[in-house]
mmCIF file of all heavy atoms in Angstrom:
data_model
loop_
_atom_site.group_PDB
_atom_site.id
_atom_site.type_symbol
_atom_site.label_atom_id
_atom_site.label_comp_id
_atom_site.label_asym_id
_atom_site.label_seq_id
_atom_site.Cartn_x
_atom_site.Cartn_y
_atom_site.Cartn_z
ATOM 1 N N LEU A 371 -10.447 19.947 -13.190
ATOM 2 C CA LEU A 371 -11.759 20.342 -12.659
ATOM 3 C C LEU A 371 -12.112 21.716 -13.202
ATOM 4 O O LEU A 371 -13.255 22.027 -13.468
ATOM 5 C CB LEU A 371 -11.722 20.366 -11.136
ATOM 6 C CG LEU A 371 -11.745 18.981 -10.477
ATOM 7 C CD1 LEU A 371 -11.654 19.114 -8.974
ATOM 8 C CD2 LEU A 371 -13.020 18.249 -10.849
ATOM 9 N N ARG A 372 -11.058 22.529 -13.401
ATOM 10 C CA ARG A 372 -11.368 23.872 -13.902
ATOM 11 C C ARG A 372 -11.901 23.783 -15.312
ATOM 12 O O ARG A 372 -12.494 24.709 -15.825
ATOM 13 C CB ARG A 372 -10.088 24.717 -13.943
ATOM 14 C CG ARG A 372 -9.830 25.455 -12.656
ATOM 15 C CD ARG A 372 -8.593 26.249 -12.785
ATOM 16 N NE ARG A 372 -7.465 25.370 -13.130
ATOM 17 C CZ ARG A 372 -6.306 25.817 -13.576
ATOM 18 N NH1 ARG A 372 -6.145 27.110 -13.740
ATOM 19 N NH2 ARG A 372 -5.335 25.007 -13.848
ATOM 20 N N VAL A 373 -11.664 22.671 -15.940
ATOM 21 C CA VAL A 373 -12.033 22.615 -17.358
ATOM 22 C C VAL A 373 -13.361 21.896 -17.491
ATOM 23 O O VAL A 373 -13.710 21.390 -18.538
ATOM 24 C CB VAL A 373 -10.917 21.897 -18.156
ATOM 25 C CG1 VAL A 373 -11.132 22.151 -19.632
ATOM 26 C CG2 VAL A 373 -9.583 22.386 -17.723
ATOM 27 N N LEU A 374 -14.102 21.884 -16.367
ATOM 28 C CA LEU A 374 -15.408 21.219 -16.455
ATOM 29 C C LEU A 374 -16.375 22.159 -17.139
ATOM 30 O O LEU A 374 -17.559 22.089 -16.966
ATOM 31 C CB LEU A 374 -15.914 20.911 -15.049
ATOM 32 C CG LEU A 374 -15.623 19.489 -14.581
ATOM 33 C CD1 LEU A 374 -16.103 19.315 -13.160
ATOM 34 C CD2 LEU A 374 -16.336 18.510 -15.489
ATOM 35 N N LEU A 375 -15.824 23.129 -17.834
ATOM 36 C CA LEU A 375 -16.674 24.205 -18.349
ATOM 37 C C LEU A 375 -17.747 23.753 -19.310
ATOM 38 O O LEU A 375 -18.848 24.227 -19.264
ATOM 39 C CB LEU A 375 -15.800 25.249 -19.024
ATOM 40 C CG LEU A 375 -15.355 26.250 -17.980
ATOM 41 C CD1 LEU A 375 -14.534 27.324 -18.585
ATOM 42 C CD2 LEU A 375 -16.565 26.813 -17.279
ATOM 43 N N PRO A 376 -17.419 22.788 -20.179
ATOM 44 C CA PRO A 376 -18.493 22.411 -21.098
ATOM 45 C C PRO A 376 -19.758 22.094 -20.316
ATOM 46 O O PRO A 376 -20.859 22.219 -20.790
ATOM 47 C CB PRO A 376 -17.932 21.190 -21.815
ATOM 48 C CG PRO A 376 -16.453 21.313 -21.700
ATOM 49 C CD PRO A 376 -16.198 22.021 -20.400
ATOM 50 N N LEU A 377 -19.549 21.692 -19.042
ATOM 51 C CA LEU A 377 -20.738 21.375 -18.240
ATOM 52 C C LEU A 377 -21.628 22.599 -18.199
ATOM 53 O O LEU A 377 -22.834 22.515 -18.133
ATOM 54 C CB LEU A 377 -20.299 21.025 -16.822
ATOM 55 C CG LEU A 377 -20.533 19.588 -16.432
ATOM 56 C CD1 LEU A 377 -20.417 19.474 -14.940
ATOM 57 C CD2 LEU A 377 -21.931 19.143 -16.842
ATOM 58 N N GLY A 378 -20.971 23.783 -18.266
ATOM 59 C CA GLY A 378 -21.783 24.998 -18.249
ATOM 60 C C GLY A 378 -22.739 24.943 -19.417
ATOM 61 O O GLY A 378 -23.800 25.521 -19.424
ATOM 62 N N GLY A 379 -22.338 24.180 -20.456
ATOM 63 C CA GLY A 379 -23.204 24.104 -21.643
ATOM 64 C C GLY A 379 -24.479 23.353 -21.318
ATOM 65 O O GLY A 379 -25.394 23.271 -22.112
ATOM 66 N N MET A 380 -24.542 22.781 -20.083
ATOM 67 C CA MET A 380 -25.760 22.027 -19.749
ATOM 68 C C MET A 380 -26.966 22.933 -19.889
ATOM 69 O O MET A 380 -28.080 22.500 -20.101
ATOM 70 C CB MET A 380 -25.690 21.514 -18.313
ATOM 71 C CG MET A 380 -24.685 20.423 -18.088
ATOM 72 S SD MET A 380 -24.763 19.129 -19.332
ATOM 73 C CE MET A 380 -26.297 18.355 -18.882
ATOM 74 N N ALA A 381 -26.714 24.227 -19.781
ATOM 75 C CA ALA A 381 -27.865 25.146 -19.876
ATOM 76 C C ALA A 381 -28.514 24.957 -21.234
ATOM 77 O O ALA A 381 -29.725 25.033 -21.376
ATOM 78 C CB ALA A 381 -27.361 26.571 -19.730
ATOM 79 N N ILE A 382 -27.677 24.634 -22.212
ATOM 80 C CA ILE A 382 -28.254 24.491 -23.550
ATOM 81 C C ILE A 382 -29.249 23.332 -23.537
ATOM 82 O O ILE A 382 -30.293 23.369 -24.162
ATOM 83 C CB ILE A 382 -27.141 24.227 -24.596
ATOM 84 C CG1 ILE A 382 -27.758 24.020 -25.981
ATOM 85 C CG2 ILE A 382 -26.292 23.023 -24.271
ATOM 86 C CD1 ILE A 382 -28.335 25.248 -26.593
ATOM 87 N N VAL A 383 -28.938 22.354 -22.707
ATOM 88 C CA VAL A 383 -29.845 21.203 -22.663
ATOM 89 C C VAL A 383 -31.197 21.686 -22.188
ATOM 90 O O VAL A 383 -32.235 21.378 -22.756
ATOM 91 C CB VAL A 383 -29.282 20.146 -21.685
ATOM 92 C CG1 VAL A 383 -30.279 19.050 -21.467
ATOM 93 C CG2 VAL A 383 -27.977 19.609 -22.219
ATOM 94 N N ALA A 384 -31.158 22.508 -21.156
ATOM 95 C CA ALA A 384 -32.433 22.992 -20.608
ATOM 96 C C ALA A 384 -33.140 23.779 -21.684
ATOM 97 O O ALA A 384 -34.333 23.624 -21.921
ATOM 98 C CB ALA A 384 -32.159 23.879 -19.393
ATOM 99 N N LEU A 385 -32.356 24.562 -22.416
ATOM 100 C CA LEU A 385 -33.019 25.405 -23.400
ATOM 101 C C LEU A 385 -33.584 24.561 -24.526
ATOM 102 O O LEU A 385 -34.709 24.725 -24.943
ATOM 103 C CB LEU A 385 -32.017 26.427 -23.968
ATOM 104 C CG LEU A 385 -32.779 27.417 -24.861
ATOM 105 C CD1 LEU A 385 -33.293 28.560 -24.045
ATOM 106 C CD2 LEU A 385 -31.985 27.799 -26.034
ATOM 107 N N ILE A 386 -32.785 23.604 -24.983
ATOM 108 C CA ILE A 386 -33.262 22.775 -26.099
ATOM 109 C C ILE A 386 -34.634 22.238 -25.758
ATOM 110 O O ILE A 386 -35.594 22.389 -26.499
ATOM 111 C CB ILE A 386 -32.313 21.564 -26.321
ATOM 112 C CG1 ILE A 386 -31.006 21.993 -26.943
ATOM 113 C CG2 ILE A 386 -32.985 20.513 -27.190
ATOM 114 C CD1 ILE A 386 -30.063 20.816 -27.186
ATOM 115 N N PHE A 387 -34.710 21.638 -24.571
ATOM 116 C CA PHE A 387 -35.970 20.938 -24.306
ATOM 117 C C PHE A 387 -37.037 21.924 -23.888
ATOM 118 O O PHE A 387 -38.203 21.740 -24.144
ATOM 119 C CB PHE A 387 -35.754 19.841 -23.271
ATOM 120 C CG PHE A 387 -34.921 18.746 -23.857
ATOM 121 C CD1 PHE A 387 -33.596 18.612 -23.526
ATOM 122 C CD2 PHE A 387 -35.449 17.908 -24.817
ATOM 123 C CE1 PHE A 387 -32.814 17.631 -24.106
ATOM 124 C CE2 PHE A 387 -34.675 16.920 -25.408
ATOM 125 C CZ PHE A 387 -33.345 16.792 -25.040
ATOM 126 N N GLY A 388 -36.589 23.001 -23.256
ATOM 127 C CA GLY A 388 -37.605 23.956 -22.814
ATOM 128 C C GLY A 388 -38.312 24.541 -24.011
ATOM 129 O O GLY A 388 -39.527 24.445 -24.168
ATOM 130 N N THR A 389 -37.512 25.066 -24.942
ATOM 131 C CA THR A 389 -38.203 25.794 -26.011
ATOM 132 C C THR A 389 -38.755 24.840 -27.055
ATOM 133 O O THR A 389 -39.504 25.211 -27.912
ATOM 134 C CB THR A 389 -37.211 26.738 -26.711
ATOM 135 O OG1 THR A 389 -36.062 25.976 -27.001
ATOM 136 C CG2 THR A 389 -36.862 27.888 -25.809
ATOM 137 N N ALA A 390 -38.355 23.574 -26.996
ATOM 138 C CA ALA A 390 -38.868 22.685 -28.047
ATOM 139 C C ALA A 390 -40.340 22.416 -27.798
ATOM 140 O O ALA A 390 -41.026 21.850 -28.618
ATOM 141 C CB ALA A 390 -38.116 21.374 -28.057
ATOM 142 N N ILE A 391 -40.829 22.828 -26.624
ATOM 143 C CA ILE A 391 -42.246 22.545 -26.370
ATOM 144 C C ILE A 391 -43.045 23.616 -27.048
ATOM 145 O O ILE A 391 -43.008 24.783 -26.669
ATOM 146 C CB ILE A 391 -42.503 22.520 -24.856
ATOM 147 C CG1 ILE A 391 -41.712 21.363 -24.244
ATOM 148 C CG2 ILE A 391 -43.983 22.367 -24.565
ATOM 149 C CD1 ILE A 391 -41.781 21.279 -22.775
ATOM 150 N N VAL A 392 -43.715 23.247 -28.146
ATOM 151 C CA VAL A 392 -44.436 24.239 -28.947
ATOM 152 C C VAL A 392 -45.748 24.528 -28.226
ATOM 153 O O VAL A 392 -46.496 23.610 -27.907
ATOM 154 C CB VAL A 392 -44.729 23.671 -30.351
ATOM 155 C CG1 VAL A 392 -45.461 24.698 -31.179
ATOM 156 C CG2 VAL A 392 -43.425 23.261 -31.007
ATOM 157 N N LYS A 393 -45.948 25.772 -27.938
ATOM 158 C CA LYS A 393 -47.064 26.115 -27.053
ATOM 159 C C LYS A 393 -48.404 25.761 -27.673
ATOM 160 O O LYS A 393 -49.188 25.008 -27.157
ATOM 161 C CB LYS A 393 -47.055 27.628 -26.748
ATOM 162 C CG LYS A 393 -46.121 27.986 -25.609
ATOM 163 C CD LYS A 393 -46.809 27.694 -24.284
ATOM 164 C CE LYS A 393 -45.977 28.090 -23.090
ATOM 165 N NZ LYS A 393 -44.573 27.785 -23.148
ATOM 166 N N SER A 394 -48.642 26.275 -28.821
ATOM 167 C CA SER A 394 -50.011 25.983 -29.288
ATOM 168 C C SER A 394 -49.950 25.677 -30.775
ATOM 169 O O SER A 394 -49.139 26.224 -31.506
ATOM 170 C CB SER A 394 -50.865 27.236 -29.083
ATOM 171 O OG SER A 394 -50.194 28.278 -29.761
ATOM 172 N N PHE A 395 -50.796 24.805 -31.171
ATOM 173 C CA PHE A 395 -50.842 24.405 -32.588
ATOM 174 C C PHE A 395 -52.045 25.091 -33.226
ATOM 175 O O PHE A 395 -53.164 24.834 -32.817
ATOM 176 C CB PHE A 395 -51.062 22.886 -32.677
ATOM 177 C CG PHE A 395 -49.772 22.145 -32.795
ATOM 178 C CD1 PHE A 395 -49.023 21.859 -31.662
ATOM 179 C CD2 PHE A 395 -49.283 21.761 -34.031
ATOM 180 C CE1 PHE A 395 -47.829 21.169 -31.763
ATOM 181 C CE2 PHE A 395 -48.085 21.071 -34.131
ATOM 182 C CZ PHE A 395 -47.364 20.770 -32.997
ATOM 183 N N LEU A 396 -51.823 25.972 -34.142
ATOM 184 C CA LEU A 396 -52.980 26.575 -34.812
ATOM 185 C C LEU A 396 -52.869 26.237 -36.281
ATOM 186 O O LEU A 396 -52.025 26.768 -36.975
ATOM 187 C CB LEU A 396 -52.949 28.100 -34.642
ATOM 188 C CG LEU A 396 -52.841 28.583 -33.181
ATOM 189 C CD1 LEU A 396 -52.540 30.085 -33.163
ATOM 190 C CD2 LEU A 396 -54.124 28.273 -32.462
ATOM 191 N N PRO A 397 -53.659 25.337 -36.761
ATOM 192 C CA PRO A 397 -53.524 24.958 -38.179
ATOM 193 C C PRO A 397 -53.681 26.218 -39.041
ATOM 194 O O PRO A 397 -54.646 26.959 -38.875
ATOM 195 C CB PRO A 397 -54.668 23.981 -38.407
ATOM 196 C CG PRO A 397 -55.197 23.623 -37.063
ATOM 197 C CD PRO A 397 -54.806 24.696 -36.129
ATOM 198 N N VAL A 398 -52.724 26.473 -39.854
ATOM 199 C CA VAL A 398 -52.803 27.666 -40.694
ATOM 200 C C VAL A 398 -52.933 27.231 -42.136
ATOM 201 O O VAL A 398 -54.007 27.225 -42.710
ATOM 202 C CB VAL A 398 -51.546 28.538 -40.486
ATOM 203 C CG1 VAL A 398 -51.485 29.629 -41.536
ATOM 204 C CG2 VAL A 398 -51.544 29.125 -39.090
ATOM 205 N N GLY A 399 -51.827 26.697 -42.656
ATOM 206 C CA GLY A 399 -51.886 26.359 -44.069
ATOM 207 C C GLY A 399 -52.092 24.876 -44.224
ATOM 208 O O GLY A 399 -51.482 24.084 -43.516
ATOM 209 N N VAL A 400 -52.959 24.456 -45.037
ATOM 210 C CA VAL A 400 -53.135 23.009 -45.264
ATOM 211 C C VAL A 400 -52.948 22.786 -46.759
ATOM 212 O O VAL A 400 -53.556 23.498 -47.569
ATOM 213 C CB VAL A 400 -54.540 22.570 -44.826
ATOM 214 C CG1 VAL A 400 -54.763 21.126 -45.238
ATOM 215 C CG2 VAL A 400 -54.714 22.749 -43.330
ATOM 216 N N GLY A 401 -52.104 21.832 -47.103
ATOM 217 C CA GLY A 401 -51.836 21.595 -48.522
ATOM 218 C C GLY A 401 -53.078 21.025 -49.164
ATOM 219 O O GLY A 401 -54.182 21.528 -49.000
ATOM 220 N N THR A 402 -52.916 19.931 -49.862
ATOM 221 C CA THR A 402 -54.106 19.368 -50.504
ATOM 222 C C THR A 402 -54.894 18.620 -49.441
ATOM 223 O O THR A 402 -54.344 18.093 -48.492
ATOM 224 C CB THR A 402 -53.678 18.351 -51.572
ATOM 225 O OG1 THR A 402 -52.906 17.351 -50.896
ATOM 226 C CG2 THR A 402 -52.856 19.030 -52.654
ATOM 227 N N LEU A 403 -56.130 18.637 -49.609
ATOM 228 C CA LEU A 403 -57.045 18.047 -48.615
ATOM 229 C C LEU A 403 -57.847 16.978 -49.333
ATOM 230 O O LEU A 403 -58.391 17.223 -50.402
ATOM 231 C CB LEU A 403 -57.992 19.183 -48.170
ATOM 232 C CG LEU A 403 -58.684 19.060 -46.839
ATOM 233 C CD1 LEU A 403 -57.640 18.992 -45.745
ATOM 234 C CD2 LEU A 403 -59.558 20.293 -46.628
ATOM 235 N N ASN A 404 -57.798 15.747 -48.806
ATOM 236 C CA ASN A 404 -58.755 14.816 -49.411
ATOM 237 C C ASN A 404 -59.363 13.951 -48.328
ATOM 238 O O ASN A 404 -58.814 13.780 -47.247
ATOM 239 C CB ASN A 404 -58.095 13.990 -50.520
ATOM 240 C CG ASN A 404 -56.707 13.540 -50.118
ATOM 241 O OD1 ASN A 404 -56.531 13.103 -48.990
ATOM 242 N ND2 ASN A 404 -55.758 13.720 -51.014
ATOM 243 N N VAL A 405 -60.520 13.504 -48.658
ATOM 244 C CA VAL A 405 -61.296 12.749 -47.661
ATOM 245 C C VAL A 405 -61.102 11.266 -47.944
ATOM 246 O O VAL A 405 -61.181 10.842 -49.109
ATOM 247 C CB VAL A 405 -62.789 13.110 -47.774
ATOM 248 C CG1 VAL A 405 -63.586 12.326 -46.760
ATOM 249 C CG2 VAL A 405 -62.985 14.611 -47.607
ATOM 250 N N THR A 406 -60.716 10.530 -46.930
ATOM 251 C CA THR A 406 -60.568 9.086 -47.137
ATOM 252 C C THR A 406 -61.553 8.400 -46.190
ATOM 253 O O THR A 406 -62.217 9.069 -45.385
ATOM 254 C CB THR A 406 -59.148 8.633 -46.756
ATOM 255 O OG1 THR A 406 -59.040 8.812 -45.335
ATOM 256 C CG2 THR A 406 -58.094 9.475 -47.448
ATOM 257 N N SER A 407 -61.566 7.075 -46.276
ATOM 258 C CA SER A 407 -62.540 6.353 -45.437
ATOM 259 C C SER A 407 -62.258 6.639 -43.969
ATOM 260 O O SER A 407 -63.145 6.882 -43.167
ATOM 261 C CB SER A 407 -62.424 4.859 -45.711
ATOM 262 O OG SER A 407 -61.050 4.509 -45.464
ATOM 263 N N GLU A 408 -60.969 6.658 -43.624
ATOM 264 C CA GLU A 408 -60.712 6.808 -42.178
ATOM 265 C C GLU A 408 -60.909 8.238 -41.731
ATOM 266 O O GLU A 408 -61.256 8.490 -40.590
ATOM 267 C CB GLU A 408 -59.271 6.420 -41.820
ATOM 268 C CG GLU A 408 -58.826 5.068 -42.263
ATOM 269 C CD GLU A 408 -57.406 5.197 -42.817
ATOM 270 O OE1 GLU A 408 -56.482 5.396 -42.000
ATOM 271 O OE2 GLU A 408 -57.267 5.187 -44.044
ATOM 272 N N GLY A 409 -60.602 9.180 -42.618
ATOM 273 C CA GLY A 409 -60.723 10.529 -42.091
ATOM 274 C C GLY A 409 -60.240 11.535 -43.102
ATOM 275 O O GLY A 409 -60.091 11.252 -44.299
ATOM 276 N N LEU A 410 -59.966 12.694 -42.611
ATOM 277 C CA LEU A 410 -59.574 13.817 -43.449
ATOM 278 C C LEU A 410 -58.052 13.799 -43.554
ATOM 279 O O LEU A 410 -57.356 13.830 -42.548
ATOM 280 C CB LEU A 410 -60.027 15.091 -42.718
ATOM 281 C CG LEU A 410 -59.968 16.394 -43.473
ATOM 282 C CD1 LEU A 410 -60.934 16.327 -44.652
ATOM 283 C CD2 LEU A 410 -60.384 17.525 -42.539
#
Side-chain angles (χ1 to χ4, degrees):
Chain A
L371 285 178
R372 271 181 302 166
V373 194
L374 263 177
L375 272 182
L377 247 195
M380 290 313 289
I382 178 70
V383 172
L385 187 88
I386 287 181
F387 291 104
T389 49
I391 296 176
V392 181
K393 276 280 183 318
S394 55
F395 266 82
L396 306 169
V398 169
V400 173
T402 59
L403 202 61
N404 42 44
V405 179
T406 67
S407 56
E408 306 138 72
L410 191 64

